[in-house]
Amino acid sequence: MARFILGYAPTRRFVFSAEDAYRYKVLIREKIESFGLDIDIVDLEGLNEEGLLYDDLIGAEAIIERFRAAKVDAVFFPHCNFGTEDTVARVGKALGVPVLLWGPRDEAPLEDGMRLRDTQCGLFATGKVLRRFNVPFTYITNSRVDDPVFERGFVNFVGAAHAVKAFRELRILQIGPRPTSFWTMMCNEGELLERFGIELHPITLVDIQRATRKIEQHGAPGLDEAIAYIKETLDTTEVTDEAVRRIAALKVAMKRYATESKSTAIAIQCWSSLQEAMGIMPCLANAILTDEQIPVTCETDIHGAITSILAQAAAMHQTPTFFADLTIRHPDNPNGELLFHCGNFPVSLSVEQAKGEKPKLRKHFLFDDHSPGTHEGEIRGGGMTIVRFDGDHGEYSLFLGRARGIEGPYTRGSYVWIEVNDWPLWEQKLVEGPYVHHAVGIHADIVPVLYEACKYIPGLQADPVDPTEQEIQAWLRGSIQ
């Protein structure tokens, strides 16, 4: 992903203190830089003497030109006093990126009764005009610069804008059609393109087989590194060196296709034609690529790949996702559930690696040919978010819920047991749809982030189960901690 670029457009109005507005312009910029986010900021310095948005007659076009040239991914309009609402709306409308609206809380009137800023009043005005211009926006409660609610709202907005940026740039490398019996993996390619601009780049299993064989036999950039990673990181005693080389070659071939097609995610038909043709399972190759922030989903789950990109970007690429089956309920915990897949969870998440041990590279335990290629073992628990993008009948929604890892019985494959607030509620929502038995997990709390991101994706409805929509909104307002 290219670096995230934020347009910083502080605004004032002529009838209030220009000096105080300038002071707040500097204070707010210093504060957001102190949050430690990996973003670039493009401001208004040099466009006028103040570096503030305040004169609509000469201001809007110059600001739009600068931000377009910088390719900003979002724009922040801090109201340093009442602000100039018409220019804010024109700029926001022209850019078509996520918009953040906030202003610092006003001080008490001066001894002579005069007020310096009237920021809150201006926020009411700008919110109305943005609506008139049909500009979706995020609002943070009018609060002081050092108030935790400002930092909370700002960081949440940047994460949401990250997710929107990734969603708008989505192209998925599709390797093979869905498995014949998996009707749940049907998707409407034309509708994804028409509705969301999501592109698929399909290739056949023959294409990936030929590319893998060529790399395995003749070598390629990245092959030796992939082999070394597998042997150094995993216990490979159950498989042959030939299998390790082929798995590494598959990983290199998949990454090459993704890079050349400018795809940010991959969906692969992982069984059963692939192992019959190549003698390996792709699970470990999927795991390694997911660890490298190119998430790979099994069984040609296109909607799962979309989910993975949204979750990964919402966490600002700080941790990988894992793609799982929702499989069985915990034998003892009524709110417990097993998240599992054959062997595709990122190696960096494994419990063994956290202990300084080597997780196992094994042969598949279900299929009759028992092909090698599965990364097996438990992954770490802790807090996480479970997400699923899905839809049918032309309507799409994003399931969102919090979970935490818990103890549970050993099982084969990649797995983690989780506990949620009310599993029967989750189960009902998942079964009644439009969801399926696949979900994406990530070790980050991104429910409020993705809830906010849906505001900027027309046709996608946030569907939070824990916390609820009302609880998310209250948390963002600062009404609850």
Side-chain angles (χ1 to χ4, degrees):
M1 290 285 292
R3 286 185 61 81
F4 184 87
I5 302 172
L6 177 71
Y8 181 66
T11 180
R12 72 170 180 87
R13 200 174 189 92
F14 67 93
V15 296
F16 294 94
S17 170
E19 293 78 15
D20 219 46
Y22 186 91
R23 181 171 69 89
Y24 269 99
K25 177 198 77 169
V26 175
L27 286 173
I28 296 165
R29 172 71 180 264
E30 291 174 348
K31 190 62 180 178
I32 63 177
E33 287 178 339
S34 76
F35 296 155
L37 301 176
D38 187 20
I39 61 176
D40 291 333
I41 298 175
V42 178
D43 56 30
L44 307 184
E45 300 304 317
L47 292 184
N48 55 41
E49 293 181 357
E50 301 177 19
L52 285 156
L53 182 161
Y54 65 90
D55 188 340
D56 188 57
L57 294 178
I58 63 174
E61 292 304 320
I63 295 169
I64 292 165
E65 183 178 350
R66 171 169 290 188
F67 284 171
R68 277 181 174 163
K71 297 181 180 179
V72 299
D73 301 302
V75 61
F76 176 29
F77 295 105
H79 281 45
C80 299
N81 62 29
F82 189 98
T84 306
E85 72 266 22
D86 49 348
T87 306
V88 169
R90 287 191 178 96
V91 174
K93 180 71 172 182
L95 295 174
V97 297
V99 166
L100 178 61
L101 179 63
W102 172 82
R105 185 170 169 176
D106 298 281
E107 297 83 3
L110 301 176
E111 289 185 3
D112 62 2
M114 297 299 293
R115 300 187 305 276
L116 294 176
R117 295 187 293 115
D118 274 21
T119 295
Q120 186 192 57
C121 188
L123 292 168
F124 293 139
T126 300
K128 178 62 174 180
V129 178
L130 285 170
R131 286 180 55 85
R132 291 288 192 195
F133 275 70
N134 295 310
V135 176
F137 64 93
T138 295
Y139 178 68
I140 302 175
T141 301
N142 179 226
S143 51
R144 294 185 172 89
V145 175
D146 292 325
D147 195 315
V149 75
F150 172 53
E151 180 175 1
R152 176 186 300 180
F154 183 86
V155 172
N156 198 79
F157 170 78
V158 170
H162 262 277
V164 173
K165 171 183 170 68
F167 187 86
R168 290 177 176 177
E169 297 174 353
L170 237 173
R171 178 180 292 158
I172 300 168
L173 174 64
Q174 177 182 332
I175 305 176
R178 63 173 174 83
T180 302
S181 59
F182 270 44
W183 287 44
T184 48
M185 295 303 103
M186 287 180 177
C187 77
N188 189 326
E189 179 182 354
E191 191 168 76
L192 289 175
L193 180 62
E194 294 161 2
R195 179 76 62 85
F196 303 116
I198 295 172
E199 301 178 12
L200 304 188
H201 183 87
I203 64 172
T204 69
L205 290 173
V206 173
D207 293 324
I208 201 70
Q209 179 191 15
R210 287 174 176 169
T212 301
R213 182 185 297 120
K214 184 177 180 180
I215 292 169
E216 180 185 3
Q217 293 176 349
H218 304 292
L223 178 61
D224 291 341
E225 291 86 346
I227 293 171
Y229 172 82
I230 293 170
K231 290 187 173 182
E232 291 169 5
T233 310
L234 291 103
D235 177 353
T236 62
T237 54
E238 292 187 23
V239 304
T240 65
D241 286 347
E242 179 186 15
V244 169
R245 184 177 180 86
R246 187 167 300 163
I247 293 164
L250 174 61
K251 179 264 178 183
V252 172
M254 291 167 67
K255 187 169 185 177
R256 177 183 292 177
Y257 266 112
T259 301
E260 291 176 352
S261 65
K262 297 183 179 179
S263 299
T264 50
I266 301 172
I268 185 170
Q269 187 202 108
C270 51
W271 62 272
S272 58
S273 297
L274 189 144
Q275 63 263 33
E276 291 173 358
M278 300 176 63
I280 58 171
M281 296 296 299
C283 307
L284 178 59
N286 298 353
I288 297 172
L289 286 167
T290 301
D291 245 336
E292 294 179 0
Q293 302 279 311
I294 304 175
V296 184
T297 56
C298 310
E299 292 143 353
T300 324
D301 186 349
I302 300 298
H303 289 176
I306 296 169
T307 311
S308 299
I309 286 293
L310 280 169
Q312 179 178 271
M316 291 184 270
H317 301 271
Q318 297 301 303
T319 187
T321 59
F322 61 94
F323 179 75
D325 275 349
L326 301 157
T327 50
I328 65 171
R329 296 183 68 174
H330 194 283
D332 303 311
N333 188 327
N335 290 317
E337 177 74 7
L338 176 64
L339 300 186
F340 151 93
H341 238 146
C342 307
N344 64 319
F345 290 5
V347 179
S348 66
L349 300 179
S350 71
V351 169
E352 289 88 353
Q353 190 172 71
K355 296 177 181 177
E357 303 170 0
K358 287 187 174 184
K360 291 184 180 295
L361 173 59
R362 306 189 69 176
K363 297 179 180 179
H364 202 285
F365 59 96
L366 285 177
F367 300 119
D368 292 339
D369 56 17
H370 300 297
S371 297
T374 57
H375 155 235
E376 292 197 33
E378 186 178 8
I379 64 167
R380 63 182 172 87
M384 60 186 79
T385 300
I386 309 302
V387 191
R388 177 68 193 188
F389 169 97
D390 224 318
D392 51 38
H393 300 88
E395 297 181 355
Y396 292 85
S397 57
L398 191 66
F399 178 92
L400 300 166
R402 288 175 178 157
R404 67 178 186 88
I406 58 172
E407 295 293 325
Y410 165 76
T411 187
R412 292 292 301 270
S414 298
Y415 72 95
V416 63
W417 291 93
I418 62 165
E419 181 181 43
V420 303
N421 64 325
D422 182 351
W423 176 257
L425 174 62
W426 282 52
E427 183 176 297
Q428 180 179 4
K429 185 178 283 286
L430 290 165
V431 170
E432 293 183 352
Y435 309 108
V436 296
H437 63 292
H438 286 169
V440 171
I442 190 165
H443 291 80
D445 182 6
I446 56 170
V447 174
V449 177
L450 288 175
Y451 172 82
E452 194 67 26
C454 287
K455 182 181 293 183
Y456 300 100
I457 303 175
L460 180 59
Q461 180 67 42
D463 187 14
V465 64
D466 178 35
T468 65
E469 183 172 12
Q470 292 76 20
E471 289 169 335
I472 294 169
Q473 292 173 349
W475 181 80
L476 288 170
R477 289 194 304 267
S479 302
I480 61 174
Q481 297 303 313

